[in-house]
DNA sequence: ATCTATAATTAGAACAGTTCTTAAGTAATA
DNA sequence: TATTACTTAAGAACTGTTCTAATTATAGAT
C-alpha cells in the first residue's frame, strides 16, 4: 500500500486523499468499474468528491499508461487497472465484464487486402454471451 | 432498387420518402456512417428531416436484423448494412473503419476458467492502427 | 515549521450523442 | 376515398463526459 502510493507519486502525481481513495479502490480491482461506480465508492469516504476529480484522476492514470479504458460496453466506459494486454467477455444480461487472458495475436492476422493499407498497432477481442449467474 | 424497397416493406415497414432516402444511402454502403452522417446525407434531399426519424429508422432496421451497430468507436455508433458476421479495423488518426472479412471463430476459444461460466453467443475483433492515408 | 508556486479540488455549467414526447401528417389497407 | 395505425418533425430531456472558474491543498524550497 505504501509503495503503491509512492509509485503514483513518482509518476508526477500530487497525491490527495481523494486520489488515494480512487487508487486504493482501483488497485487490483478486476470488476471493470465505471466512473459512476468509482465515484460512488470514493464518495463513501469523501462525500463531497466530485465527478471532475474522478474523471481527472482516471484521465491522468490513462495518460501515464497505468489504466486501461475498456470500451466493450457502448453505453459507458469501464476502467481496468490491469494494463497487460488482454481481452474481455461481457454478459448481455447483466453487463458484467470478465477478463480473458489469452494471447490471440498469432492467429489474428489481417487479410492482405486490409493489411496492405493498415499498420496494425493492437487488437482487442470482445466476446458476447450470457454469464452463469444470468443463465438460469 | 425496387426489390430493395419492397424487401423492407415486407419487413413491416411503412415506407416513407425519408426512409427510402435512408435505405438508399445505406444500401451497399461500406463506409460505416454515423447517425450524424446519415442525417446529413438525407438532409440534402429532405431538409426538414429530423434526427428522430434517422434514429427511429436505424432502430427499426437493427430490431429486424437488417443493420449492424458497430461499436468500435467509443465516441459514437457507426452503422453497417452488412449483417454477415465480420470484424473491423479502425484508424486511430482519422477514425476510418474498414471491414475485416475473416472468420476467426475457430481460434477464438475462451479459456476453461471463463468458458465454464460463460455461454458465448458471438465475438468481435477490433484492430487498431494507422491507415495508409494517415501513414505519411 | 512556514511559505510559495503549482496543481488539484468542487460545483455546476456545458457538451455530445442519443432517446423521448407530442401534436400533426401520411402510408397502407379496405 | 376513408380509416387506422404508424411515422414525422421539433425540441425537450437524458446520460455520460468534459470544461470553467474560483477556492484549496500538496510538494518542495526556504
Amino acid at each position: 500500500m505504501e509503495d503503491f502510493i509512492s509509485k503514483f507519486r513518482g509518476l508526477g502525481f500530487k497525491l490527495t486523499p481523494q486520489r488515494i481513495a480512487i487508487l486504493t479502490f482501483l488497485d487490483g480491482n478486476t470488476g471493470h468499474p465505471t466512473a459512476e461506480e468509482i465515484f460512488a465508492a470514493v464518495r463513501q469516504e469523501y462525500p463531497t468528491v466530485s465527478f471532475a476529480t474522478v474523471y481527472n484522476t482516471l484521465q491522468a492514470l490513462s495518460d501515464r499508461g497505468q489504466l486501461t479504458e475498456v470500451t466493450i460496453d457502448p453505453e459507458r466506459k469501464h476502467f481496468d487497472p490491469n494494463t497487460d494486454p488482454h481481452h474481455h467477455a461481457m454478459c448481455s444480461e447483466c453487463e458484467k465484464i470478465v477478463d480473458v487472458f489469452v494471447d490471440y495475436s498469432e492467429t489474428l492476422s489481417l487479410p492482405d487486402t486490409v493489411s496492405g493499407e493498415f499498420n496494425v498497432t493492437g487488437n482487442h477481442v470482445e466476446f458476447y454471451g450470457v454469464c452463469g449467474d444470468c443463465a438460469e
Side-chain angles (χ1 to χ4, degrees), chain A:
Chain A
M1 173 74 176
E2 204 58 44
D3 49 331
F4 169 67
I5 289 180
S6 42
K7 174 185 177 188
F8 288 101
R9 182 184 285 124
L11 249 32
F13 274 110
K14 197 165 279 193
L15 269 184
T16 64
Q18 295 90 334
R19 286 189 160 181
I20 291 171
I22 293 170
L23 295 171
T24 302
F25 179 72
L26 284 175
D27 187 33
N29 188 320
T30 59
H32 308 87
T34 62
E36 179 83 42
E37 288 164 346
I38 296 165
F39 173 71
V42 175
R43 210 181 189 189
Q44 312 225 130
E45 201 174 345
Y46 295 95
T48 64
V49 75
S50 71
F51 260 109
T53 296
V54 172
Y55 278 109
N56 277 348
T57 304
L58 295 172
Q59 183 71 60
L61 287 166
S62 292
D63 290 349
R64 290 166 176 79
Q66 301 301 317
L67 189 68
T68 302
E69 296 189 357
V70 179
T71 58
I72 192 175
D73 179 355
E75 305 307 315
R76 56 191 66 79
K77 288 180 184 167
H78 294 250
F79 298 90
D80 190 342
N82 188 334
T83 56
D84 295 335
H86 61 284
H87 308 283
H88 295 96
M90 184 168 82
C91 175
S92 50
E93 297 290 322
C94 68
E95 270 82 52
K96 180 169 67 183
I97 297 170
V98 303
D99 289 315
V100 178
F101 289 105
V102 179
D103 182 359
Y104 297 109
S105 54
E106 290 294 311
T107 57
L108 292 178
S109 59
L110 283 184
D112 292 345
T113 48
V114 177
S115 62
E117 59 180 66
F118 226 92
N119 184 21
V120 173
T121 58
N123 61 60
H124 180 239
V125 181
E126 302 173 335
F127 291 94
Y128 305 101
V130 180
C131 74
D133 295 342
C134 294
E136 291 132 32

